[in-house]
Amino acid sequence: MNSRRRFLNASALGAATITAAACTPSGTADHKPSTVTATLLLTAQALQTLSHVCERLVPGASEAGVSVYVSQQLARDAASNLLMLQYLGIAHEDHVSFYRAGLSGIEGASQSLFQKSCCSLSSSETDSLVKNLLADEFTDWSGAPSSFFLFVIRADACDVVYGTKQGFENIGMPHMAHIVPTEEW
Amino acid sequence: MSVSLLDEHVDLIVVGAGAAGCVVAATAAKAGKMVTLLEAGPPRQLQDLTSSQIWARRLKWGGAPVLESGNLPIGHGFNSGFGTGGSALHQFGVWPRLHENDFKVYSNHARGLDWPISYQDLRPYYDRIQATVGISGDSRAEKWRPPADDYPLPPMPVFEQGKTIARGFANEGLATAPIPVAINSTSYNNRPGCLFDGWCDAGCPTGALANPLVTYLPVALSNGCQLVNHATVKRILHNKAGDRVVGVEYVDQQGSVRRLMADQVVLSAFAVQNAKLLLQSSSDKHPAGLSNHNDLVGRYLMTHPATSVYGLFPNQTMPHLGPTGGQLICQDGYADKAKPGVFGSYQWLIANALKPNDLLGIANTRPDIIGESLQPFMQKAAKHMGNMVCIGEDIAQAENRVTLSSRLDANGIPLASTLHNIGAETITMNENAVAQGLRVFRAAGAQEVWQGARFGMHIMGGTVMGSDPATSVADSYGRCHELENLYLAGPGLFPSSGAVNPTFTLQALAEHLLG
């Protein structure tokens, strides 16, 4: 069982907290497991939705651990959280509700379009869902616009897929670090 | 929350350990003053500045949220810093000077405000800072540059991305020059030369880029200045008459309220927080906030409207190389601020070093590319992409302001709320600049060109300086009109924004404050 699935299964059991060390993404050779204990702030279904949609937006995001990344960062205080969302005019205290509302909205949109859960959608169905979300076409969507929410989670996915030394190398860009971070995130 | 009101006394309290505060603290400490530097954020060391756009976000604002609204929000989370060094720790080090015509915008164009000083007044301080810090550039190639001492360092090298885009400028009849940067092209003043690897935005740990950790802070500390981190100033205290400040109250890392007394206080906590501190220090003598009898504190908030232009070129551009701030600059047309229906100068910062991720990274320049198309795009862009950003002038408007929100932070202090709108003349200036940039990229041979969204770069105003207390918060030395020993430092003092990066100017102003 890969680490990501272990994490998702652990959350599905309703554990209040998980240790990030137990959900180190595979395929990231330089990643050193964090010992930070991340409070589970998103439901298992929400994390699965996040992982599923991010994988369609940025292939490799699921395996790189985007759901672990977001979950970990949401548990951190304002001064140490690393999410790009902090640049985008959303107050830190509203970050969890931002992700909850967005992921709940995606699930609702999936049920509305296909009468099934987002995580059960085929690739083509997910693409169709994403297209609708990017066009802000769901009238019963609440909170930040769906296109903005997708922009944010796509950026999160790009962080874990392309923002590491391995990610640089995968697109042929020299990393040239002055100081290599001891953890990728 | 416990309260500790032992009245320790120092000569000078400086609030905020960023670009301006460190200049003030260093100069005062060197002159023999007992100085305490209060910084809301954590300590920072050079070894903290890891090469990661993800970890670099720790350097951004991490204090109480700042609420934003308007058609061009100020981008406080992106533009501000937190911790020792402040936003100057993640600055790109692009240090052009304001132009002479930036100081008289109201007199010349009946828009915005005038400065109470001229470029000639500020020039000696620019020159002094430049000699201390070291700037790399080519003063002769910068045909737009106001009268100034030559740069102490030769220009930074221009890599293939810069050379490629420069051809487009030349084909459009526009000039470019090596960008003036506070980054060592060769070693200077015991600091090494740059390695040109594009990690400026993550904070430069080598000391090549002139952040406060390697310039003014060591001078302050070695001359006895005490730096206190995790010290969030809650209010500024004044005497019974309300005409002099006597100290500050701050909340320490343990949540205790402490009081520190001083002969003088300098607020250098950046544009929004300086205004917020004055507003939240209201008293019976200053019911609307300190130095705010004319309802000017918080007003004239500004940000530079900025937009990036991108392209893919047939040749390899090596976009990872060079400074994040760019390799070249173009200020053609800067002198012509006003045309029918258009207002504002602008400049191009050309060939910024790129990384794959983050807000300004390659992937987020094309949020429309998703799925299987993304990896091929990223691979191509990593070798063939070019980019540049236009930075435009904002017009100081009283309606754009910082106010106190009804929402409170964890210490019971109101959050700052900001409103910032730009008008039609500024929008047209930005649109015309972007159209020019797209033409330049096509003229440079780009096979595909696109533009980013308009965003706010840098934050200025909010506590503007001026000659008349009826129209300004502080005088030309940053001294509050209503409190004789309370000074302001930083870009909040700017009565106009110009269209250049503000760090050099705010440090020159801090030197000017000290005479």
Side-chain angles (χ1 to χ4, degrees):
Chain A
M1 185 186 299
N2 74 21
S3 54
R4 180 182 63 85
R5 190 157 299 162
R6 269 206 307 276
F7 164 68
L8 293 175
N9 284 349
S11 12
L13 292 172
T17 61
I18 53 124
T19 57
C23 49
T24 305
S26 58
T28 49
D30 290 344
H31 185 90
K32 293 181 181 176
S34 167
T35 56
V36 174
T37 298
T39 304
L40 187 60
L41 295 167
L42 301 176
T43 65
Q45 183 181 19
L47 289 168
Q48 287 172 332
T49 300
L50 176 67
S51 188
H52 181 81
V53 175
C54 283
E55 183 63 26
R56 291 308 298 164
L57 295 171
V58 182
S62 178
E63 188 68 11
V66 67
S67 59
V68 182
Y69 171 65
V70 171
S71 185
Q72 271 189 0
Q73 302 308 322
L74 288 177
R76 293 182 173 178
D77 63 20
S80 54
N81 120 70
L82 303 176
L83 292 173
M84 204 180 82
L85 188 59
Q86 68 169 311
Y87 297 165
L88 301 176
I90 308 290
H92 176 260
E93 63 200 51
D94 300 327
H95 283 190
V96 172
S97 58
F98 174 86
Y99 279 93
R100 282 178 179 162
L103 294 168
S104 171
I106 289 176
E107 180 61 18
S110 174
Q111 294 287 356
S112 172
L113 265 183
F114 300 106
Q115 294 76 52
K116 54 185 176 181
S117 175
C118 174
C119 296
S120 305
L121 299 181
S122 66
S123 296
S124 61
E125 288 170 333
T126 306
D127 289 345
S128 177
L129 174 68
V130 165
K131 188 178 173 186
N132 279 272
L133 293 167
L134 288 172
D136 291 318
E137 287 184 349
F138 289 101
T139 53
D140 58 349
W141 183 276
S142 61
S146 57
S147 57
F148 178 68
F149 184 74
L150 256 64
F151 173 79
V152 171
I153 62 173
R154 178 183 177 277
D156 294 334
C158 286
D159 275 344
V160 297
V161 171
Y162 296 114
T164 64
K165 184 171 184 289
Q166 184 68 52
F168 275 58
E169 290 171 358
N170 286 345
I171 60 170
M173 177 174 274
H175 191 240
M176 298 172 64
H178 291 299
I179 300 175
V180 178
T182 54
E183 295 180 272
E184 289 171 339
W185 29 267
Chain B
M1 181 184 291
S2 65
V3 178
S4 171
L5 298 180
L6 296 174
D7 291 352
E8 186 185 347
H9 188 279
V10 296
D11 295 329
L12 173 65
I13 296 170
V14 180
V15 180
C22 287
V23 170
V24 173
T27 308
K30 206 171 172 182
K33 299 289 185 186
M34 186 186 299
V35 181
T36 295
L37 188 49
L38 299 176
E39 167 54 46
R44 306 284 187 204
Q45 306 291 334
L46 289 178
Q47 59 265 31
D48 298 333
L49 306 177
T50 54
S51 302
S52 161
Q53 293 297 123
I54 300 173
W55 283 102
R57 293 173 192 149
R58 286 176 304 171
L59 307 180
K60 306 284 187 174
W61 180 249
V66 171
L67 310 177
E68 300 187 29
S69 60
N71 68 8
L72 188 68
I74 59 169
H76 189 268
F78 185 76
N79 287 310
S80 297
F82 196 61
T84 306
S87 57
L89 209 52
H90 59 75
Q91 64 160 324
F92 296 173
V94 179
W95 281 32
R97 299 176 186 223
L98 284 172
H99 290 216
E100 290 156 303
N101 65 343
D102 290 325
F103 290 79
K104 295 292 176 193
V105 176
Y106 180 77
S107 295
N108 294 339
H109 304 288
R111 293 172 179 80
L113 299 169
D114 283 348
W115 288 59
I117 55 175
S118 66
Y119 173 77
Q120 287 70 26
D121 294 323
L122 202 54
R123 179 189 165 176
Y125 304 98
Y126 273 125
D127 289 339
R128 190 189 302 176
I129 292 274
Q130 173 181 290
T132 302
V133 165
I135 297 182
S136 303
D138 183 340
S139 53
R140 284 165 187 77
E142 279 183 61
K143 60 178 187 175
W144 329 273
R145 190 172 182 243
D149 288 356
D150 283 345
Y151 293 118
L153 287 159
M156 301 282 277
V158 178
F159 298 95
E160 198 54 41
Q161 184 191 177
K163 291 175 184 171
T164 299
I165 300 171
R167 287 195 286 274
F169 275 92
N171 289 340
E172 288 291 305
L174 298 165
T176 57
I179 196 166
V181 285
I183 303 173
N184 290 349
S185 54
T186 61
S187 59
Y188 186 77
N189 276 356
N190 298 316
R191 291 173 24 229
C194 178
L195 301 174
F196 315 118
D197 51 16
W199 284 110
C200 317
D201 186 37
C204 175
T206 71
L209 191 151
N211 72 51
L213 299 186
V214 296
T215 55
Y216 291 93
L217 184 64
V219 178
L221 298 178
S222 65
N223 283 280
C225 170
Q226 183 188 16
L227 170 61
V228 183
N229 286 97
H230 301 292
T232 302
V233 174
K234 193 173 181 182
R235 59 189 291 113
I236 301 146
L237 309 170
H238 62 67
N239 62 2
K240 283 185 180 175
D243 57 358
R244 290 181 62 83
V245 294
V246 295
V248 302
E249 267 183 12
Y250 68 93
V251 181
D252 69 13
Q253 191 170 12
Q254 287 71 42
S256 299
V257 176
R258 295 182 172 277
R259 196 157 71 183
L260 182 63
M261 314 308 280
D263 294 338
Q264 292 181 310
V265 175
V266 175
L267 303 184
S268 54
F270 209 7
V272 171
Q273 304 302 321
N274 266 8
K276 178 173 179 279
L277 281 169
L278 293 175
L279 292 172
Q280 72 193 33
S281 299
S282 58
S283 66
D284 55 342
K285 297 292 183 186
H286 297 271
L290 295 189
S291 204
N292 195 29
H293 280 105
N294 291 320
D295 188 27
L296 289 166
V297 170
R299 294 189 182 275
Y300 302 106
L301 187 66
M302 293 174 280
T303 184
H304 289 129
T307 303
S308 290
V309 169
Y310 308 99
L312 290 173
F313 293 89
N315 55 303
Q316 291 210 3
T317 55
M318 299 189 291
H320 59 287
L321 291 176
T324 306
Q327 299 170 29
L328 297 164
I329 191 169
C330 172
Q331 293 184 340
D332 271 5
Y334 194 104
D336 304 323
K337 285 190 186 296
K339 292 171 186 166
V342 188
F343 187 81
S345 301
Y346 64 89
Q347 65 171 357
W348 286 104
L349 306 183
I350 303 157
N352 314 76
L354 287 168
K355 300 298 180 191
N357 64 317
D358 202 32
L359 191 57
L360 304 180
I362 293 171
N364 286 322
T365 73
R366 289 293 304 268
D368 58 312
I369 298 180
I370 57 176
E372 286 71 26
S373 304
L374 183 57
Q375 177 72 4
F377 166 75
M378 294 296 291
Q379 288 174 317
K380 184 170 185 182
K383 295 194 182 306
H384 294 271
M385 192 165 163
N387 76 122
M388 59 184 187
V389 60
C390 66
I391 295 178
E393 179 170 356
D394 195 8
I395 302 173
Q397 302 178 79
E399 297 76 18
N400 289 335
R401 63 189 299 198
V402 181
T403 54
L404 296 182
S405 167
S406 57
R407 287 177 64 177
L408 304 179
D409 70 13
N411 294 315
I413 300 170
L415 302 184
S417 179
T418 64
L419 169 69
H420 184 268
N421 286 297
I422 54 173
E425 288 183 317
T426 303
I427 290 171
T428 305
M429 174 272 295
N430 172 262
E431 289 173 345
N432 289 352
V434 172
Q436 180 187 59
L438 295 171
R439 287 195 303 273
V440 165
F441 265 43
R442 291 189 187 100
Q447 296 165 320
E448 187 179 349
V449 298
W450 66 98
Q451 68 185 74
R454 185 186 305 131
F455 65 101
M457 184 185 282
H458 314 125
I459 307 172
M460 297 143 290
T463 52
V464 298
M465 61 196 301
S467 304
D468 184 355
T471 56
S472 58
V473 175
D475 68 14
S476 62
Y477 293 96
R479 186 170 67 173
C480 287
H481 292 304
E482 297 176 21
L483 292 127
E484 62 185 56
N485 60 341
L486 176 62
Y487 289 80
L488 305 172
L493 287 168
F494 292 12
S496 72
S497 72
V500 301
N501 311 56
T503 306
F504 191 14
T505 300
L506 71 88
Q507 291 208 333
L509 260 187
E511 283 265 356
H512 177 261
L513 179 155
L514 297 154

